[in-house]
């Protein structure tokens, strides 16, 4: 018998759903282009050492890799587009003077399902601002994301900002043994305040950092910034990170982005990020509809040092949110279309 | 209460009583009383902005992970046996018990190099425990009555959960070591915490306050 099933974790997108994805993608590209981001098309395969430079060892385990029959070179199907953009930017200074504003749209693939039922292949549309650092570039990324979400009908999404180095500074400052440090990251990823409090007692670091450690799990919600400010007055690295978040938010607010929430204890997908991080969450989507951050050390690994920031919208999760939010509206249009007189 | 109602999944069975008491002290609403008063699986507490749904203990984590409930109450044994993508902000300090390795009290030690047979419903906790000790155990999956497996000759040891150790003793078993100290945790859906950040932060803080009181009454 002919087996027409797909490899596990992959699926086809049928016309209705594909149309939603295509419409979403077109609107996003329109916003990106309005802000001066220029589209690039990149290959699906990269040499593994390029992909490797952009990823942690743990993330690398999830990359689909194989040996090219001709050259014996190990290549990978891209699990993330940002390292590809970094490679392109480093390879072509002639075509891409700094700062470069690039955007893309395409699928990325993981070797395993992150969780049963979650697709391995996801479509992303994103932007990268390469060669520009500081609060103004941070704010630009926030503004572009906010406008993009509004444009596609996800204006009600929660935009959340954090910082890749904030929790780092507190955990480092608490003076934990290497095993305790790993346990602290693990506990923080679950926002397990009790486990962090137990670890803080064992720390040999500064009192201020040890006192702040369990509080990392609660630095979200109303007044998170001012609570954080009080908490890390004497944790130098964390105070610097916090200052960067505040500066970015100030400028973004001036440019019309209101209502940004803050979570300084989010550890999600920090990967190569070094500065502010941000994500968009919408009801009806099982995970963030968009995520990004500042990565000032990645370009250097490709040989053209410089600051950079970017984000990607997850087209599948964004479509999920839209389809669920517009469920009834969608049905209505379909019905009226059907009953339209010929 | 502003905004939409937040759904809380409470487990059926022995955790319901104790977790209801915590909710009643923290927020003035008891899921048990609300659910007892109806034959439905869901009951609303509009004054607190909450809806309680009554779910099998083993399924609560699934409901919360997939967003059918924003908040839930789950034993740590379940969370560690099958890792979930959830926040676990609070140890509720209720439903305390222990996952243990037990052996028949008359069992002779196994000859060197023989892989012990271990009967359990905690496949991954058991495998992980023995792997960490460098013991090549053979894990035998069972769904219930784990404690009879050694006397019936199925297994050399069991990994099971116990509160008082009584069932173990009655079956001639002695506890050899602890695998995991268990208590019930409050779990929160990752997206829900972002969408209702302040309300959930307050809910967690209110429950934390009464858990603290419950944990330290002897000091007074």
């Amino acid at each position: 018998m002919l087996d027409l099933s797909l490899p596990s974790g992959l699926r086809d997108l049928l016309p209705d759903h594909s149309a939603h994805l295509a419409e979403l993608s077109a609107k996003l590209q329109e916003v990106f282009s309005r802000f001066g981001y220029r589209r690039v098309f990149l290959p699906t395969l990269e040499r593994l050492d390029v992909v490797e430079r952009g990823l942690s060892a743990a993330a690398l385990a999830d990359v689909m890799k194989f040996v090219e029959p001709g050259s014996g070179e190990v290549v990978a199907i891209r699990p993330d587009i940002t390292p590809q953009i970094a490679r392109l930017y480093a390879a072509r200074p002639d075509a891409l003077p700094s700062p470069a504003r690039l955007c893309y749209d395409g699928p990325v693939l993981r070797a395993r399902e992150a969780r049963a039922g979650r697709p391995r292949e996801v479509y992303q549309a994103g932007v990268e601002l390469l060669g520009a650092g500081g609060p103004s570039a941070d704010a630009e990324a926030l503004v572009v994301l906010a406008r993009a979400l509004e444009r596609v009908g996800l204006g009600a999404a929660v935009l959340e900002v954090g910082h890749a180095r904030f929790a780092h500074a507190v955990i480092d400052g608490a003076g934990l043994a290497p095993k305790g440090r790993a346990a602290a990251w693990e506990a923080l990823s679950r926002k397990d305040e009790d486990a962090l409090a137990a670890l803080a007692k064992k720390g040999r670091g500064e009192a201020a950092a040890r006192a702040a450690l369990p509080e990392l799990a609660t630095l979200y919600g109303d007044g998170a910034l001012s609570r954080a400010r009080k908490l890390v007055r004497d944790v130098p690295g964390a105070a610097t990170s916090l200052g960067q978040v505040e500066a970015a938010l100030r400028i973004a607010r001036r440019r019309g982005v209101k209502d940004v929430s803050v979570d300084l204890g989010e550890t999600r997908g920090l990967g190569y990020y070094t500065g502010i991080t941000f994500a968009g969450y919408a009801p009806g989507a099982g995970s963030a509809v968009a995520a990004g951050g500042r990565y000032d050390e990645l370009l250097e690994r490709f040989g053209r040092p410089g600051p950079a920031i970017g984000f990607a919208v997850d087209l599948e999760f964004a479509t999920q949110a839209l389809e669920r939010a517009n469920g009834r509206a969608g049905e209505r249009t379909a019905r009226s279309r059907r009953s339209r007189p010929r | 209460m502003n905004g939409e109602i937040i759904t809380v999944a409470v487990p059926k069975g022995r955790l319901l009583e104790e977790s209801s008491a915590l909710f009643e002290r923290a927020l003035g609403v008891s899921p048990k009383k609300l659910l007892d008063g109806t034959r439905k699986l869901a009951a609303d507490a509009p004054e607190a902005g909450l809806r309680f749904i009554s779910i099998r203990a083993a399924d609560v984590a699934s409901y919360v992970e997939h967003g059918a409930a924003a908040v839930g109450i789950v034993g740590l044994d379940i969370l560690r046996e099958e890792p979930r993508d959830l926040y676990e902000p609070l140890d509720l300090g209720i439903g305390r018990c222990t996952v243990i390795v037990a052996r028949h009290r008359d069992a002779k030690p196994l000859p060197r190099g023989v892989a012990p047979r271990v009967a359990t419903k905690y496949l991954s906790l058991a495998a992980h425990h023995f792997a960490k000790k460098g013991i090549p155990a053979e894990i035998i999956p069972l769904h219930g009555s784990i404690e009879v497996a050694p006397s019936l000759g199925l297994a050399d040891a069991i990994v099971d959960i116990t509160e008082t150790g009584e069932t173990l003793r009655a079956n001639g078993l002695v506890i050899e070591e602890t695998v995991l100290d268990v208590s019930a945790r409050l779990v929160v859906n990752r997206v829900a915490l972002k969408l209702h950040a302040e309300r959930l932060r307050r809910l967690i803080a209110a429950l934390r306050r009464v858990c603290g009181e419950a944990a330290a009454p002897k000091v007074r």
Side-chain angles (χ1 to χ4, degrees):
Chain A
M1 260 258 281
L2 190 56
D3 182 0
L4 297 178
S5 65
L6 287 166
S8 97
L10 298 179
R11 69 235 150 99
D12 301 311
L13 304 182
L14 290 169
D16 279 345
H17 191 68
S18 299
H20 293 160
L21 236 68
E23 189 189 336
L24 179 68
S25 155
K27 286 179 184 165
L28 288 171
Q29 297 303 329
E30 171 203 316
V31 175
F32 297 163
S33 127
R34 190 160 15 103
F35 280 93
Y37 287 80
R38 300 193 62 206
R39 179 90 175 258
V40 285
F41 285 79
L42 300 166
T44 316
L45 295 184
E46 285 276 348
R47 297 211 335 267
L48 183 64
D49 47 1
V50 167
V51 173
E52 239 166 14
R53 260 165 235 269
L55 294 176
S56 67
L60 210 55
D62 280 339
V63 176
M64 186 101 138
K65 3 179 170 18
F66 47 88
V67 177
E68 286 257 70
S71 61
E73 240 173 4
V74 183
V75 295
I77 299 181
R78 61 181 179 193
D80 184 349
I81 294 177
T82 304
Q84 283 194 298
I85 301 254
R87 192 253 313 138
L88 174 71
Y89 175 77
R92 298 300 305 272
D94 56 321
L96 304 169
S98 166
R101 287 181 171 77
L102 302 177
C103 61
Y104 58 84
D105 189 329
V108 296
L109 187 79
R110 299 191 187 99
R112 298 177 292 193
E113 293 166 65
R115 204 165 66 218
R118 284 270 167 94
R120 278 162 56 190
E121 189 177 39
V122 295
Y123 290 82
Q124 297 185 333
V127 303
E128 312 289 349
L129 170 49
L130 305 137
S136 176
D138 286 353
E140 175 174 327
L142 288 174
V143 171
V144 177
L145 177 56
R147 294 287 169 269
L149 292 176
E150 274 163 32
R151 175 70 186 89
V152 302
L154 290 173
V158 170
L159 196 56
E160 181 189 275
V161 177
H163 196 291
R165 291 283 159 86
F166 182 88
H168 253 290
V170 174
I171 291 176
D172 286 355
L176 301 172
K179 220 172 144 191
R181 186 186 299 241
W185 280 108
E186 180 65 37
L188 182 56
S189 74
R190 301 190 306 263
K191 297 206 187 293
D192 186 342
E193 188 181 340
D194 304 292
L196 289 169
L199 286 162
K201 283 198 194 115
K202 290 191 224 154
R204 286 154 185 274
E206 299 283 325
R210 280 187 291 133
L213 186 59
E215 300 295 324
L216 284 178
T218 63
L219 290 179
Y220 59 91
D222 293 353
L225 279 176
S226 55
R227 279 183 277 133
R229 172 60 63 203
K230 256 184 240 149
L231 205 59
V232 300
R233 204 169 286 145
D234 298 317
V235 188
T240 309
S241 300
L242 192 59
Q244 291 173 2
V245 171
E246 288 168 329
L249 289 180
R250 222 170 9 246
I251 301 174
R253 211 170 296 129
R254 269 209 303 273
R255 298 187 198 165
V257 179
K258 313 269 186 258
D259 291 335
V260 178
S261 15
V262 169
D263 185 349
L264 291 159
E266 186 54 70
T267 63
R268 256 300 163 86
L270 289 186
Y272 36 68
Y273 294 132
T274 58
I276 72 154
T277 53
F278 49 96
Y281 297 91
S287 195
V289 294
R294 171 160 290 290
Y295 51 96
D296 287 353
E297 285 162 17
L298 183 64
L299 297 180
E300 192 181 339
R301 288 187 230 162
F302 292 96
R304 191 180 173 193
I309 187 166
F311 67 81
V313 176
D314 185 310
L315 296 186
E316 178 57 37
F317 284 130
T319 304
Q320 242 178 46
L322 283 167
E323 284 176 343
R324 293 197 175 234
N326 304 333
R328 252 174 247 150
E331 276 162 38
R332 219 177 303 134
T333 358
R335 217 175 303 130
S336 61
R337 208 177 294 139
R338 241 173 283 140
S339 59
R340 199 179 298 154
R342 280 176 221 178
Chain B
M1 270 300 154
N2 62 324
E4 61 192 283
I5 238 171
I6 286 176
T7 302
V8 181
V10 290
K12 290 180 177 161
R14 52 192 210 99
L15 274 178
L16 179 60
E17 194 94 28
E18 286 178 276
S19 52
S20 290
L22 288 177
F23 271 94
E24 188 155 24
R25 292 220 308 282
L27 306 154
V29 289
S30 159
K32 182 168 189 302
K33 284 179 193 158
L34 286 166
L35 288 162
D36 280 351
T38 166
R39 300 193 58 187
K40 290 192 205 123
L41 298 170
D44 287 0
E47 68 279 16
L50 299 179
R51 166 175 300 144
F52 295 102
I53 58 175
S54 171
I55 303 293
R56 267 189 57 190
D59 293 334
V60 169
S62 289
Y63 273 75
V64 178
E65 187 181 29
H66 293 282
V71 179
I73 294 160
V74 187
L76 189 65
D77 55 326
I78 295 172
L79 290 173
R80 292 297 170 270
E81 170 65 19
E82 194 183 338
R84 302 284 188 162
D85 200 12
L86 292 167
Y87 291 121
E88 299 170 21
L90 181 57
D91 180 349
L92 294 167
I94 57 173
R96 285 195 187 279
C97 39
T98 318
V99 176
I100 46 86
V101 181
R103 227 174 256 279
H104 206 273
R105 64 170 171 259
D106 303 327
K108 291 195 194 93
L110 288 172
R112 265 176 91 87
V114 174
R117 292 203 183 119
V118 180
T120 186
K121 62 174 176 183
Y122 294 110
L123 305 185
S124 116
L125 280 177
H128 198 79
H129 176 77
F130 288 103
K132 213 165 64 190
K133 299 177 60 169
I135 298 174
E138 182 188 335
I139 309 291
I140 301 171
L142 290 183
H143 296 286
S145 304
I146 320 285
E147 62 283 348
V148 301
S151 47
L152 295 180
L154 176 64
D156 302 307
I158 64 167
V159 168
D160 202 6
I161 193 157
T162 179
E163 198 178 343
T164 60
E166 214 160 298
T167 319
L168 296 175
R169 274 192 297 279
N171 285 280
L173 299 174
V174 287
I175 294 177
E176 198 158 71
E177 50 191 334
T178 297
V179 177
L180 182 71
D181 286 313
V182 173
S183 57
R185 306 298 159 110
L186 192 77
V187 296
V188 180
N189 175 276
R190 286 193 171 261
V191 173
L193 190 83
K194 306 301 184 186
L195 296 178
H196 310 290
E198 181 59 12
R199 282 178 67 194
L200 287 171
R201 187 177 75 90
R202 284 175 190 275
L203 174 75
I204 295 162
L207 285 166
R208 175 175 297 283
R209 274 192 295 277
V210 300
C211 287
E213 286 164 23
K218 282 165 204 141
V219 184
R220 271 179 277 158

